[in-house]
Structures are given as C-alpha cells and as structure tokens.
Amino acid sequence: MTRTPTILITGAGSGIGRATAQRFLSEGWRVGLIGRRRAALDETAASHADALVLPCDVTDAQAVDAAFDRAVTHWGRIDALFNNAGRNLAANTPDRIDPEDFRAVIEVNLVGMFLCARAAFARMRAQDPQGGRIINNGSISAHAPRPGTIAYTASKHAVTGLTRSLSLDGRPFGIACGQIDIGNAVTEMAARMARGVPQADGSIRPEAMMRVDTVAETVFRMACVPEGANMQFVTVMATNMPFVGRG
C-alpha cells in the first residue's frame, strides 16, 4: 500500500503559505499548518481531514520542536517542509530603520527558518526510511535588493547560505534542500507592488504581478521531484517585473 506523503508548511495562515497548503491538500497530502494565529490556520484547513493545525511562533525553539513532535506523533514521519514564514518592513534608508525592527526581520526570516529546518532535519534523519525534503522560501531579493529593504534583503541572502549548507549537510541522510525565489505574487504582503514601489532609478511605479497559485504549483513540483534528484534553486516571477535588466 502506498504511504500518504506528509509536509509541514510555515506561515500557512495566509498568502503563499495558505495557497500552497491548499494545493497539497487537493493532491491528497497530509499537511501540517504552522503559524501564530490559530483562527487563520483553521481557515486554511477548511475542514480538511488531512490538515493538522499547529499554532506556533517559528522564533520559539521549544514551540517549533513541540509542533514537529506533534506531527511525527500524528503521522509517524515528516516527508517535506516548506519553510515559508517571513516578514518585512516598510521601505526606508538604513539610517532610519530601528535596530530592533531589523533584528525582528532577521529573527523571523533567518532564525525562524533555521529553527524549523533544524527540527525537520533531526526528524528526517531519525525516521525510517531516513530522509526528506526541505524547501526554503528565498526571494528575488536573495539576488538583488529593492531600494530601502536592507533588513529583508540581508535576511534573504542569508537564506541562500542556509539552503546551500542544508543541502550539503543533508546528503549523508537523504535530506535534500532547495530554494524557491519568488517575484511579485498577488498576496496581502506584496499588494503594494501593484500600487507602486520605489525603483532603482528613483521613480515609483506599479509592477507586474502573478497569481499566487502559480507559486503553490511550483512548490508542489519541487516537493514531487523523485528521490535522488533535487530542484536546487527555482525562480518564479511575474514575466514583466523589473528584475532582469538595468535601471
């Protein structure tokens, strides 16, 4: 009998996390929904029998371990993690960013991602059969910054280092790690892109956007790569966004 695959998704209460969770649920996966707001996670679950609601602050190491332990107790194993939770700040120059706000972005986007990857890695290493897949949500900002985004950009550059290290350290245990770099999906967090955002030339212009279910489909394809292969880095973006080019 074929075993039903399992995945944990952080930031599952809205946006990319919610869309991705619903995509996996529609394909018959068992999906663990991690996020700070139980009510939002319940909305994502939408009475799906295969959805497991796991309220958790990803910056709290003990809470993360408890959430992953609950998933293992419930399912017996974890096949995949979509490390998606993140936050941003309003655009500003470095001298006008509060150091505590900078730390808060790093705490969620990098430390929280490490804590979830750490928890997944430990359980994937210990389970039988050994192994699994970790997919980190990077960003177009992992390659090039927007004006006024020093905290977010620094965190996403660091995520790329995290992805590469996890990929290398996971090899002996059958743990693959890939990264999806997303540009301008229609979510509450990215809605301002369509209204107009600062460009490198100093202008403020609206940008092209893509459907969030395009991102969800890409994550699903990354998770379904056959064992022994990996999508190491994938970029999915609105075709006409101002990323490839100058200015």
Side-chain angles (χ1 to χ4, degrees):
M1 187 168 108
T2 304
R3 180 175 48 81
T4 302
T6 64
I7 185 170
L8 294 182
I9 297 176
T10 68
S14 62
I16 289 168
R18 171 174 287 179
T20 303
Q22 291 172 341
R23 178 71 179 94
F24 277 85
L25 286 165
S26 74
E27 292 289 340
W29 284 55
R30 294 175 177 168
V31 181
L33 308 173
I34 293 179
R36 290 180 295 109
R37 298 173 297 140
R38 173 179 279 278
L41 298 177
D42 287 339
E43 288 179 11
T44 300
S47 301
H48 280 282
D50 287 330
L52 179 63
V53 173
L54 300 166
C56 172
D57 180 346
V58 298
T59 68
D60 182 333
Q62 290 185 334
V64 168
D65 278 334
F68 277 71
D69 281 342
R70 187 178 165 204
V72 171
T73 299
H74 204 72
W75 297 327
R77 64 180 289 113
I78 296 171
D79 294 306
L81 164 67
F82 180 35
N83 227 349
N84 166 71
R87 62 166 295 177
N88 203 348
L89 298 176
N92 218 331
T93 52
D95 56 312
R96 296 186 176 181
I97 292 175
D98 188 303
E100 291 307 311
D101 289 338
F102 183 93
R103 288 191 181 95
V105 171
I106 298 299
E107 190 71 14
V108 175
N109 294 6
L110 180 59
V111 177
M113 192 169 285
F114 162 72
L115 292 175
C116 291
R118 174 182 179 272
F121 196 108
R123 287 149 186 84
M124 290 173 179
R125 180 177 182 172
Q127 63 197 10
D128 184 20
Q130 196 175 57
R133 193 176 301 275
I134 297 169
I135 301 169
N136 291 332
N137 188 345
S139 172
I140 295 292
S141 294
H143 304 277
R146 289 184 179 279
T149 63
I150 193 168
Y152 187 79
T153 298
S155 73
K156 293 303 184 177
H157 273 69
V159 167
T160 299
L162 190 74
T163 298
R164 293 185 188 278
S165 291
L166 286 166
S167 296
L168 187 59
D169 293 341
R171 285 179 181 177
F173 313 108
I175 301 170
C177 182
Q179 179 171 316
I180 181 169
D181 295 324
I182 302 163
N184 288 9
V186 178
T187 65
E188 185 177 344
M189 184 175 176
R192 63 191 179 90
M193 308 298 178
R195 297 193 298 267
V197 288
Q199 305 296 318
D201 62 3
S203 64
I204 296 178
R205 297 197 301 273
E207 295 186 3
M209 307 292 289
M210 66 178 170
R211 291 162 54 104
V212 71
D213 56 7
T214 301
V215 178
E217 178 65 22
T218 306
V219 176
F220 180 73
R221 296 299 175 187
M222 293 176 75
C224 293
V225 171
E227 186 178 352
N230 187 36
M231 290 189 191
Q232 187 67 61
F233 290 96
V234 175
T235 299
V236 58
M237 54 179 268
T239 305
N240 294 330
M241 72 173 292
F243 172 62
V244 178
R246 299 189 182 190

